[in-house]
Amino acid sequence: MALTRREVMKQAGALGLLGAGGLSGLARAASERIIPWRNWSGGQACIPAVRVAPADEAALAEVVRGTRDTIRAVGSGHSFSALVPTDGTLLSLSNMSGMISADAQTLQSEFWGGTRVADMGEPLLKAGLAMLNMADIDYQTIAGAISTSTHGTGPKFGSYSSTVVGLRLVTATGDIIDCDAKNHPEIFNVARTSLGALGIITRVRLQNRKAFRLHEKIWVQNTEELLEDMPRLIKENDHFEINPILHSDVALATATNETTDPHTKPQQGGGDGDGVSALMAINTYARNHPQVQAALLNTFVKRMIGSDVVDDSFRVFSHVRDQRFNEMEYELPAEAGPACVREILKTVREQNLNSFFPLEYRYVKGDDIPLSMFNGRDTVAISVHQDYRLDFHNFFAQIEPIFWKYEGRPHWGKLHTLNHNQFSKLYPHWKDFLDVRAALDPTGKFLNGHLRSVFGVTC
Ligand SMILES: Cc1cc2nc3c(=O)[nH]c(=O)nc-3n(C[C@H](O)[C@H](O)[C@H](O)COP(=O)(O)OP(=O)(O)OC[C@H]3O[C@@H](n4cnc5c(N)ncnc54)[C@H](O)[C@@H]3O)c2cc1C
């Protein structure tokens, strides 16, 4: 029976197939238009031959089984590094999203891998639960977030990956593996942070806690004073971070603590756009007059910023970042944090590096996940940003060697220039991951060029 193009599109839609062809007659016919992909910052882009968003696990397994070329999973495209780009198949779990279950006894929940973190807070709250800690934004999918060890701040809190108690993986053969500490423990061990290189994560089971409220207080203070006082600040606050303002003497400090105080009035919506635009304007005006620049920034930042909020934890943890940028972040032994950030600030000033985004300086608890940036050590995470319209190469090239000096490991989702040679020395259990990856995906179906360089896979 001959199908019209409209009928073909309808049937392909029912199968959850999007984009350009290669899987089946239907999908191929439905996909004459190639849809380019790019990440949040616009720094990564590709033209996949096939884009597919399966409707359920059975359809997803069929896609994986039937595909011979590369498959890369994509979440919300919020990684800056080249984890996702492929000219093969780009697979999204956008049709597999939402809460599957929550258990008030074990304080655990299960979500579909394609669930955006922003869509997890409300259903968890209804079940009386909450995430232990959260990242700075909540646009990521949960599968994407755990794949790069996405983290928030607080020396007693690990990354999202460290809260995973089980997950379901569709492997290169299309087989489904449920893994946790008891079932396939060797796979579970490495799959908690896997860069999409072991297979497609369809479900994630998380350790949560009882729902709670947070009090967030933001203030401005001299950066050096904050660094001197850091041991006390991180001891006395559940979550603490600073954002030193480049070319100035001041930083934003954010202390976030559990509270039973009542909710404050909801804050006006909006993100950090106005603040970042003002920093950009000062940078443009005074860039070649460092003393004027510092004086303007010190005055402006002290006047502009300050906040005091009590709300449900998930509303306080996450912020809106509406000024796009590219980012490099390294994770260093916690005790090296102050010295490293001082050196970065000094380098930026001495070389008059052209960037105006604040630094981020956060704490993360160590874990035992082979590919986690936090493996085996309590950590400080320091990141530098560059406006998406400005070239980041020179700026990041000046800063990256400072991170290396302090034995930093780059955040998997952010920009870096390392490859297998360096990673094999930075990660004590590197080979544990490589062995499981090679066993699950011997032909490298889930590898793109970037991951081949990361894992040292040449064939
Ligand atoms: C504005 C902004 C703020 C950020 N803030 C933070 C922060 O506070 N803390 C932090 O640690 N990071 C932060 N990041 C980085 C971000 O959290 C990570 O890069 C995260 O991995 C992005 O998730 P995603 O859903 O967009 O996944 P993507 O970027 O689309 O993919 C990331 C990785 O996950 C894999 N993947 C996605 N879905 C699946 C799946 N179903 N199965 C298997 N693999 C999969 C992909 O193949 C890829 O390797 C930020 C990024 C941006 C743009």
Side-chain angles (χ1 to χ4, degrees):
M1 180 186 70
L3 294 172
T4 64
R5 181 171 165 76
R6 174 185 283 261
E7 286 162 338
V8 168
M9 293 298 280
K10 208 167 143 198
Q11 294 201 25
L15 283 170
L17 293 164
L18 306 172
L23 295 170
S24 65
L26 262 187
R28 206 174 291 120
S31 59
E32 285 149 20
R33 198 160 62 91
I34 295 172
I35 307 170
W37 173 88
R38 69 179 185 111
N39 71 340
W40 178 82
S41 72
Q44 301 291 343
C46 65
I47 301 181
V50 179
R51 293 182 72 143
V52 59
D56 54 33
E57 278 168 334
L60 190 150
E62 200 183 317
V63 168
V64 175
R65 204 176 293 118
T67 301
R68 276 188 297 278
D69 61 1
T70 306
I71 303 179
R72 289 302 297 150
V74 63
S76 299
H78 271 59
S79 294
F80 301 94
S81 57
L83 290 172
V84 168
T86 179
D87 56 9
T89 296
L90 191 66
L91 187 149
S92 161
L93 264 72
S94 53
N95 289 323
M96 294 168 68
S97 143
M99 181 187 261
I100 299 168
S101 64
D103 184 334
Q105 296 301 315
T106 59
L107 305 178
Q108 292 180 2
S109 61
E110 189 171 29
F111 283 86
W112 290 107
T115 314
R116 286 186 331 142
V117 176
D119 298 328
M120 295 170 68
E122 290 284 0
L124 281 172
L125 181 63
K126 276 197 189 119
L129 301 179
M131 306 272 259
L132 303 178
N133 194 13
M134 289 173 69
D136 178 54
I137 55 148
D138 58 10
Y139 318 142
Q140 309 95 333
T141 61
I142 188 61
I146 68 162
S147 294
T148 63
S149 272
T150 290
H151 63 89
T153 189
K156 294 188 221 84
F157 298 89
S159 72
Y160 287 129
S161 302
S162 72
T163 70
V164 175
V165 290
L167 54 82
R168 179 171 282 185
L169 199 61
V170 176
T171 65
T173 48
D175 293 324
I176 289 178
I177 296 182
D178 281 313
C179 61
D180 55 32
K182 290 202 180 115
N183 304 302
H184 304 287
E186 69 297 342
I187 295 178
F188 175 65
N189 185 35
V190 296
R192 292 172 288 168
T193 300
S194 65
L195 316 186
L198 299 183
I200 311 297
I201 298 164
T202 57
R203 303 169 184 228
V204 182
R205 211 148 34 85
L206 297 167
Q207 185 61 53
N208 301 125
R209 53 157 292 173
K210 282 196 174 147
F212 64 115
R213 280 203 289 277
L214 282 172
H215 176 199
E216 179 192 73
K217 189 169 163 50
I218 304 180
W219 70 96
V220 178
Q221 198 175 333
N222 178 277
T223 308
E224 193 48 44
E225 275 174 26
L226 286 163
L227 291 173
E228 290 283 326
D229 202 15
M230 197 57 79
R232 182 188 69 80
L233 288 164
I234 57 173
K235 194 167 163 217
E236 291 183 0
N237 293 291
D238 297 341
H239 310 273
F240 186 75
E241 68 177 280
I242 62 171
N243 298 100
I245 311 292
L246 299 182
H247 309 285
S248 86
D249 306 307
V250 292
L252 302 181
T254 307
T256 312
N257 289 292
E258 190 170 345
T259 184
T260 51
D261 288 351
H263 295 74
T264 49
K265 275 195 193 149
Q267 299 254 308
Q268 284 205 324
D272 58 352
D274 291 348
V276 176
S277 297
L279 295 179
M280 180 167 72
I282 294 173
N283 183 65
T284 309
Y285 174 71
R287 198 174 126 54
N288 294 318
H289 307 281
Q291 285 177 343
V292 177
Q293 187 179 18
L296 283 174
L297 285 169
N298 291 345
T299 311
F300 163 75
V301 176
K302 277 183 196 151
R303 288 219 179 132
M304 274 284 288
I305 303 180
S307 134
D308 212 336
V309 177
V310 175
D311 209 335
D312 296 318
S313 58
F314 62 97
R315 288 187 240 276
V316 173
F317 277 132
S318 56
H319 301 92
V320 175
R321 301 291 172 220
D322 45 15
Q323 283 285 68
R324 291 185 190 235
F325 52 80
N326 280 297
E327 182 173 349
M328 175 171 66
E329 172 177 315
Y330 268 71
E331 332 290 352
L332 343 161
E335 57 283 5
C340 180
V341 81
R342 281 185 183 109
E343 199 168 335
I344 292 172
L345 289 167
K346 188 163 172 272
T347 305
V348 168
R349 267 195 165 171
E350 284 179 356
Q351 302 196 23
N352 196 14
L353 295 174
N354 186 16
S355 175
F356 49 85
F357 272 86
L359 298 184
E360 255 177 315
Y361 179 101
R362 299 181 278 182
Y363 285 88
V364 187
K365 190 174 171 217
D367 62 39
D368 64 352
I369 306 169
L371 235 60
S372 156
M373 297 87 77
F374 315 106
N375 181 279
R377 65 191 199 192
D378 293 337
T379 294
V380 152
I382 303 178
S383 44
V384 293
H385 313 72
Q386 180 64 294
D387 185 275
Y388 77 107
R389 291 159 293 194
L390 297 178
D391 184 62
F392 60 79
H393 291 90
N394 179 50
F395 176 33
F396 289 3
Q398 304 298 322
I399 304 300
E400 196 172 13
I402 303 176
F403 289 132
W404 296 338
K405 205 169 121 186
Y406 293 95
E407 296 175 20
R409 297 170 180 156
H411 188 304
W412 291 116
K414 307 196 182 179
L415 294 165
H416 64 83
T417 61
L418 302 193
N419 63 28
H420 173 70
N421 293 329
Q422 290 99 9
F423 288 125
S424 57
K425 295 184 190 95
L426 285 170
Y427 284 86
H429 303 287
W430 186 244
K431 196 166 171 307
D432 295 359
F433 185 90
L434 296 196
D435 289 348
V436 175
R437 194 212 65 75
L440 287 177
D441 183 20
T443 63
K445 192 182 261 192
F446 294 116
L447 299 182
N448 63 5
H450 176 72
L451 288 182
R452 284 177 191 278
S453 158
V454 164
F455 296 130
V457 176
T458 47
C459 55

